[in-house]
Amino acid sequence: MNQSMELSLEQQFNLRIFEDSVRQMSREQAQDFLIELHEHMMLKENMYKTLLKQDWGFDADQMSV
């Protein structure tokens, strides 16, 4: 696998902590957390798109992605 597509040791450690935390949640807590996590991922994607548009010099009206 491409080295840039692998998790660093620190990321693996953080994933394990995350996994342990999620396993201790109730089903309802995990579902609520998953919904919130998905929202944050979408906000992060929007931020990346905005930053790329600014960096590449695109007007917000030019891209409808």
Side-chain angles (χ1 to χ4, degrees), residues 6-49:
E6 296 176 7
L7 297 177
S8 69
L9 189 57
E10 181 180 3
Q11 289 171 321
Q12 291 175 34
F13 178 72
N14 286 329
L15 180 60
R16 180 58 191 261
I17 291 171
F18 178 80
E19 179 184 349
D20 292 344
S21 297
V22 171
R23 291 193 186 282
Q24 294 176 10
M25 293 179 186
S26 69
R27 179 181 175 93
E28 184 177 343
Q29 288 173 321
Q31 288 175 335
D32 290 343
F33 181 74
L34 186 57
I35 292 166
E36 185 177 334
L37 181 62
H38 187 68
E39 179 184 9
H40 286 214
M41 289 171 57
M42 289 188 296
L43 291 170
K44 186 176 179 180
E45 180 182 358
N46 289 346
M47 182 185 67
Y48 287 149
K49 286 178 183 180

